[in-house]
Amino acid sequence: MGKNGKNLLSESASNVLVDQDARITRQRAVTDVRRALVLTAARSAFLELGLEGASLREIAKRAGYSPGAIYSYFSSKEEVYGALLGESLERLNAFVDAAESAPERRPPSGRGEAASLRLAQRTLRAKATAFFDFYRESPRDLDLGFYLFHGMQPRGLTPSLNAQLNDRLRNALEPTRQALVTLGFRVGDAQAEVTALFAHIVGLLLLSHTGRIRMFRQQSQALFDRYLDALIKRASTQAPRRSLPRVAAK
């Protein structure tokens, strides 16, 4: 075989590889689109019917597929739910990560430890507020999280997936915990404070989203700000030998 023949074979093989790559890329794109349609349908079904009330058949119907076609993407409705909640938690973490500490309102004074403590105060406010704002602005994401529970017993997810999702939720609260440690809380106390903050946020948002907060003639944002101010003030008393700056008025 001459040189030209070898070149033709090499070019032909390259074309085959290019075609295969293009076909794989198209197949992945189609799979991603169909999977997104299933998740969109599942989200609406879960929101309207709840986790236990929504069946794979109902999800398939809303997505425009047969129930059998759904199994090409998910093995169960619990897996669908896990994917939806996982995506929600990824957006939560991205939202918290993007929250930046507000600049100081006055020219910086002091150096070293005092400056670090002021930064920790601003970081605590920014990260905790971002967590609150994410669910305040996206009530459906909060609703989605609570479909995991039936009464007080978690249902629907494997222990492995449940642990994975819980880890991502804790990750979104980790910057707040770290700021509390920097401000002087012991590790165990900081974790307890984060748990209390989480419970406070969830309680306020449930009252707000259901309209129950009106019976108290209160607003969730004002109550959250008040709680956060008190938390930062408590943090300033954790290390008596440190001279922490007062919490600046917002």
Side-chain angles (χ1 to χ4, degrees), residues 20-250:
Q20 288 177 342
D21 289 342
R23 185 166 57 254
I24 292 172
T25 299
R26 287 195 298 270
Q27 289 174 344
R28 286 176 178 172
V30 170
T31 297
D32 289 344
V33 169
R34 291 177 176 173
R35 190 174 186 275
L37 287 174
V38 172
L39 291 177
T40 298
R43 180 184 292 272
S44 69
F46 290 147
L47 290 174
E48 292 178 24
L49 306 173
L51 178 59
E52 293 191 355
S55 64
L56 272 182
R57 182 176 297 278
E58 176 64 24
I59 294 171
K61 177 182 176 181
R62 296 186 183 214
Y65 298 126
S66 66
I70 298 291
Y71 287 104
S72 300
Y73 310 103
F74 301 98
S75 62
S76 66
K77 71 174 181 180
E78 288 77 20
E79 187 176 323
V80 176
Y81 169 77
L84 279 174
L85 185 53
E87 183 270 338
S88 174
L89 292 173
E90 291 305 316
R91 286 188 288 106
L92 168 65
N93 275 271
F95 194 80
V96 171
D97 288 344
E100 296 184 357
S101 304
E104 293 197 74
R105 292 176 176 269
R106 61 189 68 181
S109 60
R111 296 180 180 179
E113 185 178 36
S116 296
L117 293 173
R118 287 196 302 272
L119 176 59
Q121 285 183 341
R122 300 197 307 277
T123 298
L124 171 57
R125 185 177 298 281
K127 300 302 184 179
T129 298
F131 190 97
F132 175 80
D133 285 347
F134 177 83
Y135 285 115
R136 179 177 61 83
E137 297 168 4
S138 306
R140 288 193 169 186
D141 284 289
L142 184 67
D143 294 339
L144 184 67
F146 277 93
Y147 285 146
L148 176 60
F149 299 96
H150 178 78
M152 297 300 292
Q153 298 296 322
R155 293 267 186 102
L157 300 181
T158 63
S160 176
L161 183 54
N162 183 59
Q164 178 183 339
L165 294 172
N166 284 336
D167 283 344
R168 291 305 287 152
L169 180 61
R170 280 191 292 266
N171 287 345
L173 292 165
E174 180 61 16
T176 298
R177 190 195 68 81
Q178 290 179 354
L180 287 170
V181 171
T182 300
L183 287 170
F185 278 100
R186 295 179 179 177
V187 172
D189 292 336
Q191 186 62 46
E193 290 289 352
V194 167
T195 304
L197 175 65
F198 174 70
H200 191 77
I201 288 174
V202 171
L204 283 177
L205 292 176
L206 285 176
L207 285 173
S208 180
H209 293 337
T210 60
R212 293 289 184 178
I213 200 167
R214 289 193 293 270
M215 68 183 287
F216 299 104
R217 299 179 182 178
Q218 299 290 325
Q219 294 182 342
S220 61
Q221 183 68 62
L223 291 173
F224 170 76
D225 290 340
R226 183 175 180 176
Y227 184 91
L228 188 57
D229 286 342
L231 175 58
I232 295 175
K233 185 176 181 179
R234 285 201 305 278
S236 69
T237 68
Q238 295 306 303
R241 288 177 293 179
R242 293 179 177 176
S243 179
L244 290 176
R246 292 183 178 180
V247 178
K250 296 185 295 299

